Amino acid sequence: MYKRLFDVDPWKIKTNQLDKTNKRLQESLTSIGNGYMGMRGNFEEAYSGDTHRGTYIAGVWYPDKTRVGWWKNGYPEYFGKVINAMNFLSMEIQIDGVELDLATNKVENFYLELDMKNGLLTRSFIYHKDDVNIKFEFQRFLSIVQKELCFIQLQIEVLSGNPELVIKSGINGNVKNEDSNYNEMFWEEKQCEVKENHLFLTTETIKNDFNVPRYSVTGMVEHSYSNDFNTTFETKSMQSSEVFSAVLTAGTKVELEKKIAVITSRDIPEEQHVKAAEDILNNYKNETFAQHLARQIEKWRQRWKQADIEISGDDEAQQGIRFNLFQLFSTYYGEDERLNIGPKGFTGEKYGGATYWDTEAYAVPVYLAVAKPEVTKNLLKYRYNQLEGAYLNAQRQGLKGALYPMVTFTGVECHNEWEITFEEIHRNGAMVYAIYNYTTYTGDESYLKNEGLEVIVAVARFWADRVHYSKRNECYMIHGVTGPNEYENNVNNNWYTNTLAVWVLRYAIENLVKYPERQEELDVTEEELAQWKKIVKNMYLPYDEKNKIFIQHDTFLDKDIQPVTNLSEDELPINQNWSWDKILRSCFIKQADVLQGIYFFGDQFTQKEKERNFNFYEPLTVHESSLSASVHAVLAAELGKEEKAVEMYQRTARLDLDNYNNDTQDGLHVTSMTGSWLAIVQGFAGMRTNNGLSFQPFLPKNWEGYNFRVNYQGRLIAINVDTKMTQVDLIEGEDLEITISGSKKLLSVNK
């Protein structure tokens, strides 16, 4: 069950349909970003129909007071959320005194295209009224050459008639949030002026009660335009504009280019904003839209050269993986260690726009392979720099060590749903797993030895305090948790959580033995180590002897176990059709839970163990988390269940493009977009790195072939799989021995 708005094309998201009913979905799917800022695919001109106009700036957020009906000790003081920033796309257009509004105007030849090769968003249409016909074409992109810049080009051709055209182009700070605190303003004006033909607006976030720094943002606009226009400037509250007017005749073509520089107090003090914006605009004063676009194309070409996965024989699959990689890199490309990857990126406000565990569990493996190691190290540094906040989170729960937050901008927990925020503590283990993943993949132990061990020990201390000893059962347990399957809350002995806790403690012990000087520096006593070893040896891990499976939690098998296929189509997705009570009592699983642990620690389980658990849990899984399908795709491929692997790839690759879960209108599932890469590289190609580099590839039946590149321990490796063979080549770096389908092979640049 899906909804597809755009044509299938290997490199483009395109349509000839103006779908007013699904306008929000269209806006999500045509979002663009450059890691510094981004926006939904809103129209530049006014649109009176249903729309979610959103522009967002990385790292700019607001702490809103936690509001709950019944306060519980331990709640965070505030809920952090990304806030909608000034609308610098704004181009209000009038034709003969009538506002251009595609919700009400008659238009023909509508076309909308997002070119994933370069991030260029194009829209064109012909406006028709009486004897007037005008062709409009808008193009825009956010620069990855100069992160503070946005470029917009409007080309207008009068096909018939003699219309009077008025365009008010500028910056509008009268913006409000949608996801929470509806219609609330989070900004106040500081400056709104015109200076040397540059118009600008500076706004600052409203006051908060939590000593969180206020952010100020300045947007400055420079226009270049055809001589046909007369121009004036206009400023009013929270709005600065340049007004262009002309009476045009049939056959006339005019052009308006808009260049916007956006500066924030995260990087530059507010008193220096105007000069900084002017300097950037002046640096590019003589560079046209087309000239900068050429540089943009080259920079994206370099990214795609490393990261692209080429698929032959299946354009749907090809479009899906490229769309996901494009949106992922538009959100984050590792330049700033203060930033992380929000689950909606720059495409919406749901989930507060903050950092989740998705990054460590799903995004780190991708960035390790398709970007420089420094990109992943910046993700690790992000968590290390927030260790103090993690200590505070644990203290607020009356626990030792560090508890990394479920949702954060600063390291301090800022999410207020108890069952998720304070029970879904498995995310703490994902922070350590990311360190392990980085170290194993790159072979670089410097981070592990230094900053990494500080994080590992802090998390280990949390787990050692969070467990309790059951005298009756003579083992350690963890009660009152929510596992990855959020369709069950406050359960006891979630297998994945207990398994992860044991692994973290064991990993901490191993590395303190390896680096004994760090044990003293981190004040880890022999008594503490002995306690950790005792927990590792005696942790309770639920297991069912009859089915020979790991039990998701203590009482899971007491449920009415039945497959998802027993549900009628109109019940799905259950999170939109069932009460929460009914969901919690059901056996249906939101996302991989036990299978998440088997995916993480695959070398610790036999093929038979993997198969029994997959065969039991996969039929119960509704995949209503965007994170779910990729794990199942990888495991299905390993188990030889090729059709299931391809089905799960299709789901993760086109989750948003086909709106599988009927929620993409709220924004894209950015962090889970890594899943399509994982499904192909770890799934179809069977890449593993825990015992050296190995591949176990297969080719989906309806594919003719696929190829990709990965960075690995200073090497660049190309993998090509087709109907005849698997070819693995070393492009750069020293010789390397790898394993392909069980056979050893020495890779050399010269061979």
Side-chain angles (χ1 to χ4, degrees):
M1 188 170 64
Y2 63 86
K3 182 183 293 180
R4 182 175 296 174
L5 300 188
F6 291 91
D7 300 342
V8 174
D9 183 281
W11 277 110
K12 295 180 178 179
I13 308 300
K14 63 181 184 179
T15 181
N16 293 103
Q17 302 299 315
L18 172 58
D19 191 335
K20 300 176 186 179
T21 303
N22 295 296
K23 179 70 162 51
R24 288 180 180 238
L25 178 57
Q26 166 263 305
E27 291 168 354
S28 292
L29 293 170
T30 53
S31 296
I32 58 174
N34 66 356
Y36 177 79
M37 58 183 169
M39 64 197 67
R40 291 168 59 79
N42 303 116
F43 295 169
E44 284 83 357
E45 75 277 14
Y47 186 82
S48 61
D50 184 42
T51 181
H52 178 181
R53 187 173 290 280
T55 302
Y56 310 99
I57 300 172
V60 174
W61 61 286
Y62 182 79
D64 193 43
K65 180 177 174 59
T66 298
R67 295 174 173 86
V68 293
W70 178 24
W71 186 269
K72 300 178 179 71
N73 288 338
Y75 265 132
E77 296 177 310
Y78 58 79
F79 177 74
K81 58 190 164 195
V82 66
I83 46 176
N84 197 357
M86 62 179 65
N87 174 19
F88 50 77
L89 301 180
S90 180
M91 286 185 171
E92 299 175 18
I93 301 173
Q94 288 190 350
I95 305 163
D96 292 327
V98 177
E99 186 168 50
L100 179 63
D101 178 359
L102 268 62
T104 58
N105 295 156
K106 181 179 179 180
V107 297
E108 299 170 348
N109 294 72
F110 179 85
Y111 181 70
L112 177 64
E113 173 191 293
L114 173 58
D115 189 336
M116 296 181 288
K117 278 189 177 179
N118 51 40
L120 180 66
L121 183 62
T122 300
R123 178 170 55 95
S124 62
F125 55 88
I126 295 174
Y127 168 90
H128 173 75
K129 186 178 181 184
D130 300 329
D131 63 339
V132 173
N133 286 277
I134 308 174
K135 182 180 179 181
F136 289 87
E137 181 177 78
F138 295 86
Q139 290 189 305
R140 73 171 183 256
F141 65 93
L142 291 168
S143 174
I144 62 171
V145 177
Q146 180 74 45
K147 65 182 181 181
E148 295 88 355
L149 285 179
C150 174
F151 290 81
I152 306 173
Q153 181 187 75
L154 170 58
Q155 294 179 316
I156 302 170
E157 180 181 1
V158 180
L159 303 178
S160 65
N162 299 291
E164 180 183 8
L165 192 69
V166 178
I167 304 172
K168 184 161 74 171
S169 175
I171 304 178
N172 189 344
N174 293 298
V175 293
K176 299 175 182 179
N177 267 42
E178 279 230 347
D179 187 57
S180 55
N181 300 86
Y182 300 92
N183 297 318
E184 183 173 336
M185 285 281 293
F186 290 101
W187 300 94
E188 58 187 30
E189 182 184 307
K190 299 297 293 293
Q191 281 183 285
C192 185
E193 298 179 23
V194 176
K195 183 181 180 183
E196 298 177 359
N197 290 328
H198 289 151
L199 54 93
F200 71 91
L201 170 66
T202 300
T203 59
E204 185 178 43
T205 51
I206 58 177
K207 292 180 180 179
N208 64 80
D209 299 324
F210 308 105
N211 296 317
V212 173
R214 299 170 70 182
Y215 295 99
S216 55
V217 175
T218 296
M220 181 175 286
V221 173
E222 176 182 274
H223 291 107
S224 57
Y225 49 91
S226 304
N227 292 332
D228 305 75
F229 287 115
N230 297 311
T231 66
T232 59
F233 289 97
E234 180 182 298
T235 59
K236 58 183 179 180
S237 177
M238 296 288 276
Q239 195 169 354
S240 182
S241 307
E242 190 168 2
V243 181
F244 303 85
S245 59
V247 176
L248 303 175
T249 58
T252 304
K253 296 180 180 180
V254 294
E255 186 172 284
L256 174 62
E257 289 189 3
K258 182 176 182 179
K259 198 178 297 177
I260 309 103
V262 179
I263 310 294
T264 83
S265 57
R266 293 183 70 252
D267 301 313
I268 297 173
E270 183 186 317
E271 60 271 17
Q272 299 174 27
H273 278 197
V274 173
K275 184 180 184 306
E278 285 180 322
D279 288 346
I280 290 173
L281 290 175
N282 288 334
N283 286 341
Y284 294 91
K285 189 174 186 65
N286 297 320
E287 191 167 73
T288 65
F289 181 95
Q291 288 170 331
H292 199 94
L293 178 60
R295 296 214 285 157
Q296 172 95 350
I297 291 170
E298 174 57 24
K299 192 114 180 189
W300 267 108
R301 188 192 67 80
Q302 294 170 15
R303 290 185 178 185
W304 283 118
K305 183 179 179 181
Q306 169 60 48
D308 190 25
I309 295 181
E310 293 182 299
I311 299 170
S312 303
D314 189 336
D315 284 348
E316 286 188 12
Q318 180 69 86
Q319 184 184 41
I321 183 64
R322 283 183 175 147
F323 178 72
N324 291 345
L325 288 172
F326 169 78
Q327 291 294 349
L328 186 67
F329 293 161
S330 297
T331 304
Y332 181 87
Y333 205 69
E335 295 91 347
D336 190 340
E337 68 181 53
R338 299 170 300 170
L339 298 175
N340 205 288
I341 310 166
K344 291 294 181 186
F346 300 117
T347 72
E349 297 154 22
K350 198 169 183 180
Y351 306 124
T355 302
Y356 280 54
W357 70 289
D358 308 14
T359 294
E360 283 70 26
Y362 294 85
V364 161
V366 178
Y367 283 102
L368 279 170
V370 302
K372 296 178 181 178
E374 291 76 20
V375 173
T376 305
K377 187 172 277 190
N378 275 346
L379 289 173
L380 300 182
K381 287 180 179 178
Y382 177 88
R383 296 295 190 178
Y384 175 75
N385 292 337
Q386 295 184 351
L387 184 55
E388 184 178 344
Y391 276 117
L392 178 61
N393 298 331
Q395 290 168 14
R396 287 178 171 175
Q397 303 308 309
L399 294 164
K400 298 175 184 176
L403 172 60
Y404 276 93
M406 188 67 184
V407 175
T408 195
F409 291 93
T410 65
V412 176
E413 182 64 70
C414 61
H415 188 263
N416 61 3
E417 188 176 354
W418 188 274
E419 293 80 2
I420 303 299
T421 308
F422 304 111
E423 293 183 354
E424 201 166 337
I425 55 176
H426 66 80
R427 83 267 186 163
N428 223 24
M431 308 303 146
V432 177
Y433 188 80
I435 298 170
Y436 162 80
N437 216 347
Y438 171 83
T439 305
T440 303
Y441 193 93
T442 64
D444 173 17
E445 296 194 0
S446 60
Y447 183 85
L448 165 68
K449 181 180 177 180
N450 297 294
E451 300 99 323
L453 257 174
E454 193 173 338
V455 171
I456 293 165
V457 167
V459 173
R461 282 172 167 153
F462 169 84
W463 286 121
D465 198 28
R466 184 60 171 80
V467 305
H468 72 273
Y469 186 71
S470 168
K471 294 179 181 178
R472 184 167 72 92
N473 295 288
E474 296 182 334
C475 59
Y476 289 92
M477 297 182 169
I478 305 177
H479 284 190
V481 301
T482 298
N485 174 29
E486 294 173 339
Y487 285 177
E488 294 179 308
N489 299 155
N490 199 32
V491 301
N492 296 334
N493 295 310
N494 172 257
W495 180 87
Y496 171 70
T497 303
N498 289 19
T499 297
L500 200 52
V502 167
W503 178 83
V504 169
L505 290 166
R506 186 185 294 121
Y507 191 54
I509 294 166
E510 288 174 0
N511 284 290
L512 289 172
V513 170
K514 189 173 185 178
Y515 304 109
E517 69 278 13
R518 296 295 283 144
Q519 180 178 342
E520 184 176 348
E521 291 168 358
L522 296 170
D523 197 26
V524 180
T525 66
E526 290 300 322
E527 291 77 14
E528 193 171 17
L529 275 178
Q531 178 63 15
W532 293 359
K533 292 175 183 177
K534 189 176 178 181
I535 295 169
V536 168
K537 184 179 179 180
N538 298 287
M539 177 67 83
Y540 170 61
L541 299 172
Y543 185 78
D544 179 56
E545 288 289 348
K546 179 181 178 182
N547 295 296
K548 297 192 180 305
I549 60 168
F550 307 117
I551 307 175
Q552 188 162 281
H553 63 82
D554 276 353
T555 62
F556 184 80
L557 294 183
D558 296 333
K559 295 191 174 197
D560 177 17
I561 305 295
Q562 56 179 300
V564 175
T565 52
N566 283 7
L567 300 176
S568 62
E569 191 172 294
D570 59 4
E571 290 180 278
L572 297 172
I574 61 173
N575 63 14
Q576 296 174 27
N577 292 287
W578 284 11
S579 72
W580 188 238
D581 172 73
K582 186 174 181 179
I583 289 173
L584 291 176
R585 289 187 287 108
S586 80
C587 68
F588 300 116
I589 299 170
K590 182 181 181 184
Q591 71 184 81
D593 192 307
V594 168
L595 298 183
Q596 180 79 39
I598 292 176
Y599 163 73
F600 266 3
F601 308 113
D603 58 336
Q604 298 179 18
F605 305 101
T606 67
Q607 287 297 97
K608 288 185 177 180
E609 285 177 320
K610 294 176 184 179
E611 185 152 18
R612 286 196 299 267
N613 282 278
F614 187 93
N615 290 345
F616 182 82
Y617 285 109
E618 194 282 328
L620 309 180
T621 306
V622 289
H623 303 294
E624 289 174 11
S625 165
S626 60
L627 301 173
S628 186
S630 59
V631 171
H632 288 80
V634 173
L635 292 176
E638 182 180 350
L639 294 169
K641 301 175 186 293
E642 295 182 7
E643 288 187 9
K644 176 58 70 173
V646 172
E647 175 195 337
M648 291 293 99
Y649 168 77
Q650 182 79 1
R651 188 179 184 98
T652 188
R654 300 193 61 88
L655 177 76
D656 287 319
L657 283 175
D658 292 342
N659 198 18
Y660 268 88
N661 287 340
N662 194 33
D663 59 0
T664 299
Q665 63 273 9
D666 297 328
L668 304 176
H669 299 83
V670 173
T671 44
S672 60
M673 286 178 161
T674 57
S676 49
W677 187 95
L678 297 173
I680 293 176
V681 176
Q682 295 183 352
F684 301 170
M687 187 175 87
R688 299 290 183 272
T689 57
N690 47 349
N691 292 304
L693 183 63
S694 65
F695 296 92
Q696 186 78 27
F698 83 88
L699 181 66
K701 291 178 181 177
N702 63 326
W703 291 14
E704 297 170 6
Y706 61 94
N707 66 78
F708 58 90
R709 292 182 171 192
V710 295
N711 290 315
Y712 178 76
Q713 297 191 357
R715 286 90 165 177
L716 178 61
I717 300 169
I719 299 91
N720 183 72
V721 181
D722 60 26
T723 56
K724 297 179 181 178
M725 63 181 295
T726 295
Q727 181 70 33
V728 182
D729 295 306
L730 183 63
I731 307 300
E732 297 174 6
E734 298 179 356
D735 292 1
L736 178 70
E737 186 178 72
I738 67 169
T739 302
I740 305 177
S741 300
S743 299
K744 298 289 186 182
K745 179 179 180 179
L746 180 65
L747 297 182
S748 174
V749 173
N750 299 318
K751 293 182 180 178

